């Protein structure tokens, strides 16, 4: 298999996983009591952040040990992904806090 096909398969897998998780959470949200929904969202947010930080540390360690000529580009991509995640996490926290106050 060529690298482009591999990348497309991975992107397709991520898209299917996103769709599945979205549908599951949407169904839960429609049937849950507001307090239960907020509790579940907080727990999911913490779990997601923990998983991301673990992967982030592993990737950074691999980049630090790499002798690859594309290391700077990879580091820039890593920093962009990390920054985007942090921004999404901040948005999530603000929305969650404001929803809790209503």
């Amino acid at each position: 298999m060529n690298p482009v096909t591999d990348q497309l398969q991975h992107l397709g897998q991520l898209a299917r996983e996103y769709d599945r998780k979205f549908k599951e959470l949407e169904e839960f949200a429609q049937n849950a009591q507001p307090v239960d929904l907020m509790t579940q969202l907080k727990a999911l947010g913490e779990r997601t952040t923990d998983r991301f930080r673990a992967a982030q540390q592993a990737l950074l360690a691999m980049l630090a040990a790499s002798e690859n000529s594309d290391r700077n580009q990879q580091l820039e991509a890593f920093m962009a992904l990390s920054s985007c995640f942090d921004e999404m996490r901040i948005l999530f926290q603000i929305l969650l806090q404001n929803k809790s106050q209503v």
Side-chain angles (χ1 to χ4, degrees):
M1 213 174 271
N2 71 43
V4 173
T5 303
D6 273 354
Q7 290 172 353
L8 290 175
Q9 285 184 342
H10 290 300
L11 288 173
Q13 179 183 347
L14 288 171
R16 288 186 297 277
E17 186 176 322
Y18 175 92
D19 190 51
R20 179 187 56 80
K21 288 177 181 180
F22 185 89
K23 287 176 183 174
E24 287 174 2
L25 191 55
E26 187 176 45
E27 184 178 318
F28 176 78
Q30 289 174 354
N31 299 315
Q33 295 297 316
V35 170
D36 294 335
L37 177 60
M38 298 306 288
T39 301
Q40 181 71 10
L41 288 176
K42 286 178 186 177
L44 288 171
E46 291 302 318
R47 187 185 76 184
T48 299
T49 299
D50 290 346
R51 290 178 59 214
F52 182 83
R53 296 296 182 220
Q56 187 181 41
Q57 289 174 358
L59 282 171
L60 194 54
M62 284 188 280
L63 283 173
S66 175
E67 297 293 328
N68 192 334
S69 63
D70 294 332
R71 186 171 176 264
N72 286 338
Q73 276 186 306
Q74 293 170 348
L75 187 54
E76 285 180 30
F78 170 82
M79 295 301 288
L81 284 172
S82 296
S83 181
C84 288
F85 178 85
D86 290 344
E87 290 170 12
M88 293 296 290
R89 180 69 175 143
I90 291 165
L91 291 169
F92 173 75
Q93 278 301 122
I94 297 298
L95 287 172
L96 206 58
Q97 289 169 359
N98 286 328
K99 181 66 176 169
S100 296
Q101 296 171 1
V102 173

